[in-house]
Amino acid sequence: YQPKVDCVTGKVIGVEALVRWNEPILGLLSPKEFLPLIEDDNMAFRMGRWVMQEAVRQARRWHEMGIDLCISINVFPRHLEYPTFIEDMRNAVSVHWPQMPRDRLMLEIVETSDLEELDPIEAVIKDLVWVLCNSNRSGGGGGNPPRRRRWLRLRRPDIQQALFLHV
């Protein structure tokens, strides 16, 4: 997990779940190096499901130790279109921490050069918000989302690593 630090106070305000692959010959590979190799395979979806489960599990462990941090998970827009994405998220929460406070998990949609790619997943995002916001009230986010929904607002800017490479 990579800490997220408030630049003003210097306090850790959250963490980001980062996946690395320890390849026997090449060593430790970053997502930039291995995700393109699996992005068109179901392995990418299975890995995403595993990351969701581990993030919720870790958030609960830290909570039990008195450490309450938000864990961010990176999600590609096409993962939101995967048929079981919402159910996978619902299961991760209901199995590993049914009473998880809503501010302990943040899904970050990975930037894409084609912003129109987000159009087909708008309903999935709204349904996912319903699942996450109601999971600790109804034992796992049961029920259908209401027809009237509020728009999401961006709460935190995320400055990407690439912006700091030449600073």
Side-chain angles (χ1 to χ4, degrees):
Y1 293 93
Q2 176 175 302
K4 291 184 172 190
V5 178
D6 182 311
C7 293
V8 175
T9 65
K11 292 183 179 179
V12 175
I13 56 171
V15 294
E16 182 175 0
L18 298 175
V19 176
R20 301 290 184 259
W21 177 18
N22 195 2
E23 206 281 331
I25 297 171
L26 301 175
L28 199 60
L29 301 176
S30 73
K32 183 171 38 171
E33 296 169 297
F34 71 84
L35 282 180
L37 302 174
I38 66 168
E39 68 183 339
D40 293 328
D41 188 278
N42 280 342
M43 179 185 281
F45 298 112
R46 292 192 310 269
M47 182 173 45
R49 184 181 304 128
W50 178 81
V51 169
M52 283 183 222
Q53 293 170 357
E54 288 302 309
V56 173
R57 194 178 293 144
Q58 184 62 53
R60 182 174 185 165
R61 277 189 222 124
W62 282 336
H63 173 73
E64 290 168 350
M65 295 169 49
I67 302 168
D68 292 318
L69 293 172
C70 176
I71 296 182
S72 298
I73 301 171
N74 293 316
V75 178
F76 287 94
R78 67 185 278 276
H79 287 171
L80 294 171
E81 295 177 327
Y82 198 67
T84 64
F85 182 82
I86 293 208
E87 191 61 30
D88 293 342
M89 189 74 250
R90 179 183 288 129
N91 288 339
V93 172
S94 65
V95 168
H96 301 294
W97 194 7
Q99 288 77 34
M100 181 180 74
R102 356 177 165 164
D103 64 345
R104 298 298 158 71
L105 186 64
M106 179 185 297
L107 300 181
E108 297 182 6
I109 300 173
V110 175
E111 67 277 357
T112 175
S113 59
D114 182 11
L115 291 179
E116 294 190 19
E117 187 178 349
L118 295 177
D119 289 341
I121 60 171
E122 180 180 345
V124 174
I125 293 170
K126 290 177 181 177
D127 289 348
L128 182 62
V129 168
W130 172 256
V131 167
L132 292 177
C133 288
N134 291 286
S135 63
N136 58 359
R137 292 188 202 140
S138 62
N144 294 318
R147 296 209 183 276
R148 293 181 57 179
R149 301 176 182 118
R150 289 186 285 162
W151 284 97
L152 299 175
R153 288 176 295 175
L154 296 176
R155 295 192 306 172
R156 296 183 191 120
D158 184 18
I159 301 172
Q160 297 297 316
Q161 176 186 9
L163 296 176
F164 289 104
L165 292 179
H166 300 290
V167 175

